[in-house]
């Protein structure tokens, strides 16, 4: 199977090349040229496998220049970093299920893909006979940074530098990142917000002279965000696994279609769900849940994507995003692969901060996606109400999804069973969760972790225990313009 660019279908590469490139040279995103077909019998075969087996099965149909054996080895190595099942399905009520994707090393759903991706990238380099050293640069609003650090630390031939906004991450997230050990790791705060950090990192990527100077040292830049198919494809397996678990436990019948409710930021995780549907998984509708930054809700309602709007900092920071990059892939598919159209929409977005799609394209979106958002008040009240109803503690991102789903089930004529995708441990966002449950504001996020455990009777995840006592390895706070010097110092260390 080949991958083609959303902005020029003639630009066609192998899976390993797509992983190595990250983004296509024309600025487009790589998408599968066609989708594999999973039959009911494939699902039944997968029912007997553990998560790593299911993951390898799904990946091998999308990443065809990797052998099944290789992929199984990577999946097993990744799974070993998890605390038990990476993708357990919890039944809360008749027809209401949660799939928990936060049992990885950093307690957010990005862990699985970022645990597999380093292996995919290393193998892709070998397949493409690329002997350069890879320098991964990451700008993070919190979760991606730590998950990428855990995935890439001490991997041969790869260095990783992570930049987080000094003012834009939770105390727990900051401590997780700045205490990371590993010989190939660098972490620094940027004086500013997430946009500042992101812009500064993008400037490094856009500086051709800088890339040339790195190339002279045998170093190539790469990124680890969800525009890379090496991150996207592993996520497709979550949906297969959740479906198969429902099937094996007799909750659904053969071929029965279900809904997934996905808390969405960059549109990566929900796109993976769509790719599962395209590959034959019986999915009815996808419910796209946003927080107060509700640009996607507006888009799916009106057909206009307008990024000229206020940016809000919310209790679900990993969804505070105005440019949902992976929407490009979704629109490419629903427009029947119209690369000219996608090019023009993305040019408009860059130049004018907005674009509109035709009624027929909007209708096509509507045939798959329902979109809604939960504001801050609703998010916090959902955490409290859900705890009262089920004694189950939602993190704020998952609470956005539940809040949106509650409204959806009241109004939509849809009686399919639904699975809510839970993307983070509540302990990562302990201050806000504790406030939602008790009404008490604790500004010390480490104290909030302890208090949340006391209040709920849940155990603090091992990796978040005593975080404040661990030695802080990285203390640099940089001005935006100093990033390049810091990168230079890091690679010539
Ligand atoms: C990244 C993230 C999201 C959003 O996922 P996308 O793939 O960007 O849509 C939701 N919840 C949590 C906890 C995250 O870390």
């Amino acid at each position: 199977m080949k991958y083609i660019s959303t902005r020029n279908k003639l630009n066609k590469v192998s899976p390993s090349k797509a992983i190595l490139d990250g983004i296509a040279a024309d600025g487009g995103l790589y998408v599968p040229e066609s989708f594999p077909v999973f039959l009911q019998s494939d699902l039944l075969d997968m029912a007997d496998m553990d998560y790593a087996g299911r993951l390898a099965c799904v990946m091998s149909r999308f990443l065809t220049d990797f052998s099944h054996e290789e992929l199984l080895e990577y999946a097993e190595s990744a799974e070993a970093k998890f605390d038990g099942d990476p993708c357990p399905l919890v039944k809360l009520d008749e027809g209401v299920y949660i799939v928990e994707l936060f049992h990885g090393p950093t307690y957010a759903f990005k862990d699985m893909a970022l645990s597999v991706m380093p292996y995919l990238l290393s193998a892709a380099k070998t397949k493409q006979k690329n002997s350069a050293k890879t320098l991964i640069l990451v700008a993070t609003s919190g979760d991606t940074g730590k998950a990428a650090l855990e995935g890439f630390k001490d991997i041969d031939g790869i260095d990783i530098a992570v930049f987080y906004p000094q003012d834009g991450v939770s105390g727990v997230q900051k401590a997780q990142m700045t205490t990371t050990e590993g010989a190939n790791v660098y972490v620094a705060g940027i004086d500013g917000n997430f946009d500042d950090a992101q812009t500064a990192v993008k400037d490094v990527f856009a500086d051709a002279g800088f890339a040339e100077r790195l190339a002279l040292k045998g170093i190539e830049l790469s990124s680890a965000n969800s525009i890379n198919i090496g991150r996207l494809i592993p996520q497709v397996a979550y949906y297969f696994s959740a479906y198969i678990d429902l099937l094996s436990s007799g909750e659904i019948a053969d071929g029965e279609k279900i809904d997934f409710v996905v808390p969405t930021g960059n549109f990566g995780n929900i796109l993976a769900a769509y790719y599962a549907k395209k590959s034959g998984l019986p999915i009815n509708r996808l419910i796209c849940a946003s927080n107060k930054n509700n640009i996607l809700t507006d888009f799916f309602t009106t057909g206009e994507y307008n990024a000229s709007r206020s940016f809000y900092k919310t209790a679900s920071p990993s969804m505070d995003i105005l440019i949902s990059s992976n929407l490009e892939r979704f629109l490419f598919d629903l427009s029947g692969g119209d690369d000219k159209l996608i090019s023009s929409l993305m040019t408009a977005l860059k130049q004018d901060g907005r674009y509109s799609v035709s009624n027929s394209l909007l209708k096509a979106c509507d045939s798959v996606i329902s979109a809604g958002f939960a504001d801050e008040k609703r998010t916090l009240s959902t955490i409290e109400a859900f705890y009262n109803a089920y004694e189950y503690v939602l993190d704020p991102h998952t609470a956005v999804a539940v809040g949106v789903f509650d409204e959806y089930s009241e109004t939509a004529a849809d009686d399919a069973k639904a699975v809510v995708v839970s993307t983070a441990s509540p302990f990562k966002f302990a201050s806000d969760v504790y406030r939602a449950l008790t009404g008490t504001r604790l500004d010390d996020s480490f104290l909030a972790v302890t208090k949340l455990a006391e209040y709920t009777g849940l155990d603090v995840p091992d990796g978040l225990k005593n975080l404040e006592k661990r030695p802080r390895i990285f203390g640099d706070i940089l001005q935006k313009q100093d990033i390049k010097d810091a990168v230079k110092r890091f690679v010539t260390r």
Side-chain angles (χ1 to χ4, degrees):
M1 181 202 283
K2 297 280 188 196
Y3 284 76
I4 51 178
S5 165
T6 48
R7 300 192 197 173
N8 178 1
K9 286 195 275 193
L10 298 178
N11 190 353
K12 198 181 281 195
V13 299
S14 65
S16 60
K17 180 82 165 74
I19 289 172
L20 211 53
D21 287 355
I23 194 161
D26 56 35
L29 305 185
Y30 286 120
V31 293
E33 187 181 24
S34 60
F35 285 86
V37 180
F38 285 84
L39 306 171
Q40 188 70 20
S41 55
D42 294 318
L43 301 184
L44 294 179
D45 287 345
M46 277 194 258
D48 296 330
M49 300 174 188
D50 63 4
Y51 190 76
R54 294 173 183 179
L55 173 58
C57 256
V58 171
M59 287 196 296
S60 68
R61 304 283 284 272
F62 281 94
L63 306 175
T64 45
D65 60 349
F66 293 78
S67 71
H68 183 268
E69 210 178 356
E70 274 179 288
L71 294 168
L72 185 60
E73 186 191 317
Y74 308 154
E76 281 171 348
S77 307
E79 185 173 22
K81 295 182 175 174
F82 279 65
D83 183 13
D85 183 352
C87 189
L89 188 83
V90 181
K91 178 176 183 179
L92 290 171
D93 208 343
E94 278 318 309
V96 181
Y97 311 87
I98 290 203
V99 60
E100 295 181 343
L101 303 182
F102 56 79
H103 297 288
T106 78
Y107 312 107
F109 90 89
K110 295 179 177 79
D111 276 328
M112 181 43 87
L114 279 165
S115 300
V116 177
M117 192 183 162
Y119 300 106
L120 294 176
L121 186 61
S122 295
K125 282 169 73 174
T126 309
K127 289 179 202 296
Q128 296 293 325
K129 307 198 176 14
N130 176 317
S131 57
K133 178 159 208 157
T134 305
L135 171 61
I136 308 257
L137 290 186
V138 180
T140 180
S141 60
D143 286 338
T144 303
K146 180 60 177 177
L149 286 165
E150 283 302 310
F152 284 101
K153 76 177 183 198
D154 294 327
I155 300 267
D156 276 349
I158 297 178
D159 279 347
I160 174 163
V162 169
F163 301 95
Y164 66 87
Q166 175 63 6
D167 317 325
V169 299
S170 79
V172 170
Q173 289 175 316
K174 190 182 294 184
Q176 279 187 298
M177 288 186 277
T178 55
T179 58
T180 307
E181 293 170 0
N184 62 339
V185 166
Y186 176 72
V187 179
I190 300 294
D191 185 20
N193 61 24
F194 174 61
D195 276 340
D196 295 322
Q198 170 123 305
T199 309
V201 168
K202 279 190 177 159
D203 284 348
V204 178
F205 278 108
D207 183 340
F210 188 69
E212 265 169 40
R213 289 195 293 282
L214 286 181
L216 289 176
K217 297 191 172 74
I219 299 168
E220 282 176 5
L221 286 178
S222 184
S223 78
N225 61 26
S226 60
I227 59 173
N228 194 310
I229 63 148
R231 253 193 76 185
L232 192 57
I233 298 304
Q235 292 176 5
V236 176
Y238 292 144
Y239 300 93
F240 275 87
S241 186
Y243 187 90
I244 290 164
D245 282 346
L246 284 174
L247 199 57
S248 334
S249 57
E251 297 287 331
I252 55 173
D254 277 4
E256 183 173 340
K257 288 188 172 180
I258 64 167
D259 293 338
F260 281 102
V261 190
V262 189
T264 301
N266 213 12
F267 211 76
N269 207 3
I270 195 167
L271 183 80
Y274 178 65
Y275 279 7
K277 179 175 165 67
K278 287 283 292 185
S279 308
L281 194 69
I283 292 177
N284 177 48
R285 294 189 72 75
L286 298 173
I287 297 150
C288 173
S290 300
N291 66 22
K292 192 179 177 188
N293 294 293
N294 60 352
I295 186 164
L296 286 168
T297 315
D298 287 349
F299 172 68
F300 286 117
T301 314
T302 66
E304 186 191 54
Y305 196 93
N306 187 346
S308 311
R309 57 168 69 213
S310 304
F311 175 88
Y312 301 104
K313 270 172 73 169
T314 73
S316 46
S318 299
M319 296 157 67
D320 291 346
I321 197 159
L322 293 183
I323 306 286
S324 298
S325 314
N326 282 296
L327 185 62
E328 176 171 348
R329 288 183 159 120
F330 185 65
L331 295 177
F332 177 82
D333 194 74
L334 288 177
S335 66
D338 189 343
D339 51 357
K340 304 273 177 314
L341 172 71
I342 300 301
S343 279
S344 73
L345 296 181
M346 294 306 137
T347 305
L349 181 62
K350 196 161 180 199
Q351 285 171 359
D352 316 327
R354 56 172 295 278
Y355 62 80
S356 290
V357 300
S358 66
N359 273 337
S360 60
L361 185 47
L362 185 60
K363 250 200 173 134
C365 294
D366 191 50
S367 69
V368 193
I369 294 245
S370 296
F373 76 100
D375 62 14
E376 289 294 272
K377 203 168 148 221
R378 174 135 192 148
T379 304
L380 297 186
S381 67
T382 301
I383 293 176
E384 189 194 11
F386 209 74
Y387 187 67
N388 292 339
Y390 303 113
E391 279 197 30
Y392 186 94
V393 188
L394 298 168
D395 99 284
H397 302 77
T398 313
V400 166
V402 170
V404 167
F405 179 63
D406 283 347
E407 198 175 303
Y408 175 80
S409 23
E410 278 163 25
T411 52
D414 177 359
D415 49 17
K417 289 174 182 136
V419 177
V420 173
V421 175
S422 174
T423 49
S425 158
F427 285 99
K428 265 194 120 157
F429 305 95
S431 298
D432 285 316
V433 175
Y434 189 74
R435 178 159 60 95
L437 293 176
T438 66
T440 305
R441 184 183 290 274
L442 294 173
D443 288 329
D444 177 342
S445 36
F446 304 111
L447 178 64
V449 168
T450 314
K451 287 284 194 184
L452 182 62
E454 277 171 23
Y455 186 81
T456 59
L458 295 174
D459 290 333
V460 178
D462 283 343
L464 299 181
K465 275 182 194 150
N466 298 322
L467 208 46
E468 69 278 21
K469 297 197 189 100
R470 285 191 208 158
R472 199 176 68 170
I473 298 168
F474 299 101
D476 288 358
I477 305 297
L478 306 174
Q479 298 303 313
K480 275 186 284 186
Q481 63 275 15
D482 296 334
I483 281 198
K484 277 177 207 161
D485 281 337
V487 170
K488 234 181 287 169
R489 276 198 304 275
F490 173 53
V491 296
T492 52
R493 69 197 181 278

